[in-house]
Amino acid sequence: MTHTDAAAALSVWVALESPTSHPAGVNGMMDLVAQEVAGLPISVERIAGRDGLGDMVALRAGLDNGQPSVALMSHLDTVHPVGTSAKELPVRIEGDRLYGPGVYDMKGGAWLALQAFKDVAKAGTAKRPMVFLFTPDEEIGSPTSRGLIEEIGRGSAAVLVTEPARLGGKIVTARKGVGRFDVRLEGRPAHAGSRHADGRSAIREAAHQILAIEGMTDYTRGITTSVALIGGGTAANVIPQHAWFSVDCRVTTLADGVMMENRILSLKAHDPDVTIRVTGGMNRPPYEKSTAVAALFEVARGVAAGIGLDLQDCPMTGGGSDGNFTAALGVPTLDGLGIDGDGAHTLQEHALISSIAPRRALIKGLLETV
Ligand SMILES: [Zn+2]
């Protein structure tokens, strides 16, 4: 397959818009996966979506000897709303760059890994049973796919995740843990002119809480807290009864995750007349570079050297992925095996076409070696 053919085939995947909240689009992606493997020695299991989200597809191939498998994992949802490709981010090629919604995170990785999976299934060169799970909901924390991700992880000797490569093709061997919380405040409404003293502002209380939460950031320990969504109030002349905001929390160790969850869930209102309700918790546990992960990375380095690549990993990254779930179970996990490029989640999102062939060869080699 030439670069041009690969870019054209991947463009079809990118053009089919599939934000997490649009199950018709996500299911269209699952259809494309199933079509790709039709007629090959690959079994297709389709699991119906739930809670308003898209389906999952699990492909199985390779040896059927009851040994632990090698698992590939890709999400086919994106963060880009339907219509993005018609307006701000058209699917297009500029030199070595293929632009489009989700091309880097992570349709490029999903596509090239599927080609590698097909290559190995067709050639009959798998070292183990192989399973490839495609999921619909990674971008919102994998609420409907986590169970199957963990089940497949437990049955696997290694998990390979096709999230985007880091600058220069580095892969990922450690990720921070991620927590999400919602804070809701209820005060007492009053006319902001005539009855000001009777009011208890939910927004003023939110302001106190937000400063306290952001103050929990500790860069030396790798702990960050961010309030990035906020709402409240009804009109400019009413003391606000309601306010709400979200909290994003990142940690590097399981113990810090427990500590931060306790701190955030036990927030107390500053004003006794305002109630505070905190929901949520740590969603993705930290993915630490254990000795098992480091050993798997050395195997990957060897495979990469065989195809002329000097594979490097990057320091612990702040973004979570489904790799966090399997790594936290103690299953050796490599991530960032997807396509190289830049601009994930932005309107400059693009992938490097020249990275398709070597990454595909790397995954093929891993499926034949691990
Ligand atoms: Zn992703």
Side-chain angles (χ1 to χ4, degrees), residues 196-273:
H196 191 277
D198 293 345
R200 297 291 182 273
S201 169
I203 289 180
R204 187 172 61 180
E205 180 65 33
H208 283 295
Q209 298 294 338
I210 290 167
L211 289 176
I213 290 166
E214 294 231 338
M216 295 174 190
T217 291
D218 181 346
Y219 292 126
T220 57
R221 281 175 77 165
I223 297 172
T224 59
T225 50
S226 314
V227 175
L229 286 172
I230 183 168
T234 52
N237 60 354
V238 180
I239 305 294
Q241 181 178 6
H242 297 286
W244 63 268
F245 59 88
S246 69
V247 181
D248 176 290
C249 174
R250 312 265 162 165
V251 298
T252 59
T253 67
L254 271 174
D256 281 351
V258 172
M259 183 268 292
M260 289 301 292
E261 187 172 277
N262 287 337
R263 281 181 80 182
I264 294 170
L265 289 176
S266 63
L267 287 166
K268 296 282 176 289
H270 200 259
D271 179 338
D273 293 334

Side-chain angles (χ1 to χ4, degrees), residues 74-75 77-79 104-107 138-139 161-164 166 175 320-322 335 344-345:
S74 299
H75 68 83
D77 59 322
T78 79
V79 298
Y104 177 55
D105 184 9
M106 60 146 79
K107 289 186 181 180
E138 193 276 343
E139 296 292 2
V161 184
T162 68
E163 290 286 355
R166 301 299 148 140
R175 290 180 180 274
S321 89
D322 289 334
D335 199 346
H345 297 199

Side-chain angles (χ1 to χ4, degrees), residues 7 89-99 350-353:
L89 183 51
V91 180
R92 66 194 190 278
I93 293 170
E94 292 179 10
D96 189 36
R97 293 179 170 193
L98 173 57
Y99 284 85
H350 63 270
L352 300 180
I353 296 165

Side-chain angles (χ1 to χ4, degrees), residues 301-312:
R301 273 185 61 76
V303 171
I307 54 175
L309 283 178
D310 178 22
L311 193 68
Q312 303 288 331

